[in-house]
Amino acid sequence: MNYQLLDAEELIYLSIKASNEGRSEEAMILLKQSLLQVPNQPQALYLLALEHAHIGMFERAITEFQQILTMDENMHIARFQLGLLHHSRNAASDANNIWAPLEGLGEENALHWFIQGLKKMTEDNQQEAIHLFQQGLLRNHEYTLLNQQIYSFIQQLTSDNQREDSAISTPMNKNVANMPL
């Protein structure tokens, strides 16, 4: 396809469609073409950072999220995702420092609840984390793609709780004690 016939906005929309259909390579090509046409567009760079994180290129995603925040320090979703990348790499203090400017968003903002849930998750307070995530989901009308990530955290925490409950209620024997969970 001749991407030069498309404008930057069209390329972004097509990249979202490609990403939603699991075509990361095509999404990345479209986003890079969009950035060639209009450099320093936070939205295109944000989507590219998400694609890089999705395919496991975490360092590149971190660099791109940082670049976005130099262009627009109020792009809260980029700050949240940057903190989430650090959080997922067991760098909770880095994540908390990155998220600190979001503390002022208040309880009406879903990111507030998601951050609190992630902090409780780190503290192994699973029930409270689930509750906080659910509160964020009720308020999240702005960052709907983020809901999928939050649902996966809830699923993870729920399955962890079910494994713990099963281990507590099941009598141990030699065979069960040596089985991986």
Side-chain angles (χ1 to χ4, degrees), residues 8-32 34 41 43-48 50-51 144-145 148:
E9 184 179 18
E10 291 168 326
L11 291 165
I12 289 172
Y13 277 91
L14 288 172
S15 77
I16 293 169
K17 185 177 187 304
S19 181
N20 288 339
E21 294 172 357
R23 297 179 284 127
S24 289
E25 180 182 352
E26 185 178 343
M28 292 170 62
I29 290 168
L30 291 162
L31 291 165
K32 288 183 176 197
S34 178
Q41 356 167 18
Q43 183 185 15
L45 192 55
Y46 171 77
L47 294 169
L48 185 59
L50 288 179
E51 290 298 330
T144 54
L145 293 176
Q148 293 171 340

Side-chain angles (χ1 to χ4, degrees), residues 46-66:
Y46 171 77
L47 294 169
L48 185 59
L50 288 179
E51 290 298 330
H52 281 131
H54 177 73
I55 65 171
M57 296 182 72
F58 303 116
E59 291 302 322
R60 185 169 294 189
I62 286 170
T63 300
E64 289 163 344
F65 284 129
Q66 290 170 333

Side-chain angles (χ1 to χ4, degrees), residues 161-172:
N161 282 341
Q162 288 171 348
R163 274 198 299 261
E164 286 176 16
D165 291 345
S166 172
I168 291 168
S169 64
T170 304
M172 295 278 278

